[in-house]
């Protein structure tokens, strides 16, 4: 590709070629045939095929018929930077304002296999039996942030999640059936937010919204959590929902500017 740097004595050509395959995809080329990838990267078909097969084995590329496309796993390549610096820095002041506005705990997380992983949190008070800090993990299927993150997956990755990830019942309300969860995620995708009522822990309610990166993909989620004794479902929908959607829109706009 024309914008590659000039090779130096420490240059690893195979790594550069593999990255060129990933970089070949973009908004105007979300999926391509082998011949198209070879043409864009300047690689031979045989070389491009080897790199594609390697990337498929690693989970960064998927194939559908003659077409190849990136999977959301490529976001891991950027999460190391975003999670270490940019994303939490961008999210933090917005979460602080949201927490002050609603007097509730506010958090942000990303998806890692079948779990959400907290990358930022502003606690208002202790409402769970476990302490939540940056790095805390919870099963995605039982959380509001997990629901919006799962709803942001493409069909192939969602299907793999539904087939392969264990979904335990954490309370009597936890949705574990694959078909029922898929229906729920379809609704989340349509409405753009998720409300979970006592599926992760008895007495805990939360509402979440997705954060979108510059390419429009869901890269993270934010939520507000509360207790059943503090907020009714009606109050969460009427008062919390507009606030968290506005905050998610502000953060997504900031991510696009970054």
């Amino acid at each position: 590709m024309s914008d590659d740097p000039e090779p130096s004595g420490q240059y690893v050509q195979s790594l550069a070629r593999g990255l060129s395959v990933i970089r070949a995809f973009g908004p105007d080329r979300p999926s391509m045939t082998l011949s198209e990838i070879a043409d864009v990267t300047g690689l031979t078909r045989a070389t491009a095929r080897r790199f594609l097969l390697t990337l498929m084995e690693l989970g960064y590329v998927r194939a559908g018929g003659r077409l190849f496309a990136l999977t959301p796993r490529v976001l891991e390549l950027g999460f190391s930077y975003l999670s270490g610096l940019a994303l939490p820095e961008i999210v933090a002041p917005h979460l602080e304002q949201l927490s002050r506005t609603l007097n509730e705990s506010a958090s942000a997380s990303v998806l890692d296999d079948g779990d959400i992983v907290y990358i930022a949190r502003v606690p208002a008070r202790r409402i769970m039996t476990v302490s939540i800090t940056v790095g805390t993990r919870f099963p995605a299927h039982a959380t509001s942030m997990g629901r919006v993150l799962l709803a942001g997956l493409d069909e192939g990755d969602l299907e793999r999640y539904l087939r392969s990830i264990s979904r335990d019942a954490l309370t009597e309300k936890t949705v574990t059936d694959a078909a029922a969860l898929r229906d729920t995620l379809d609704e989340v995708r349509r409405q753009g937010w998720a409300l979970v009522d006592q599926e992760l822990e008895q007495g805990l309610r939360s509402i979440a919204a997705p954060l979108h990166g510059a390419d429009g993909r869901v890269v993270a989620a934010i939520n507000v959590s509360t207790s059943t004794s503090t907020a009714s479902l009606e109050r969460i929908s009427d008062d919390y929902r507009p606030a968290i959607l506005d905050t998610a829109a502000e953060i997504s706009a900031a991510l696009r500017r970054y």
Side-chain angles (χ1 to χ4, degrees), residues 220-232:
I222 61 171
N223 87 335
V224 171
S225 52
T226 186
S227 65
T228 54
S229 61
T230 300
S232 65

Side-chain angles (χ1 to χ4, degrees), residues 53-76:
L53 292 176
T54 300
L55 291 168
M56 287 175 64
E57 286 289 327
L58 295 172
Y60 294 116
V61 169
R62 60 180 171 81
R66 297 175 58 247
L67 293 175
F68 296 87
L70 298 179
T71 74
R73 190 166 190 177
V74 298
L75 296 174
E76 292 178 352

Side-chain angles (χ1 to χ4, degrees), residues 3 13 27 49 65 76 86 95 125 143 181 226 246 256:
D3 56 351
Q13 189 177 59
R49 182 175 181 275
E76 292 178 352
L95 292 184
R125 55 182 176 272
T143 65
L181 182 58
T226 186
D246 286 347
R256 289 192 295 272

Side-chain angles (χ1 to χ4, degrees), residues 54-133:
T54 300
L55 291 168
M56 287 175 64
E57 286 289 327
L58 295 172
Y60 294 116
V61 169
R62 60 180 171 81
R66 297 175 58 247
L67 293 175
F68 296 87
L70 298 179
T71 74
R73 190 166 190 177
V74 298
L75 296 174
E76 292 178 352
L77 302 176
F79 277 160
S80 296
Y81 175 71
L82 289 175
S83 296
L85 175 64
L87 188 53
E89 279 192 352
I90 292 171
V91 166
H94 296 276
L95 292 184
E96 290 168 1
Q97 180 59 52
L98 181 62
S99 178
R100 285 196 300 269
T101 298
L102 299 177
N103 194 31
E104 298 286 6
S105 299
S107 307
S109 72
V110 295
L111 188 66
D112 182 28
D113 290 331
D115 295 334
I116 62 167
V117 181
Y118 281 71
I119 60 169
R121 179 165 171 80
V122 180
R125 55 182 176 272
R126 181 75 173 268
I127 60 175
M128 290 193 68
T129 57
V130 297
S131 177
I132 301 175
T133 60

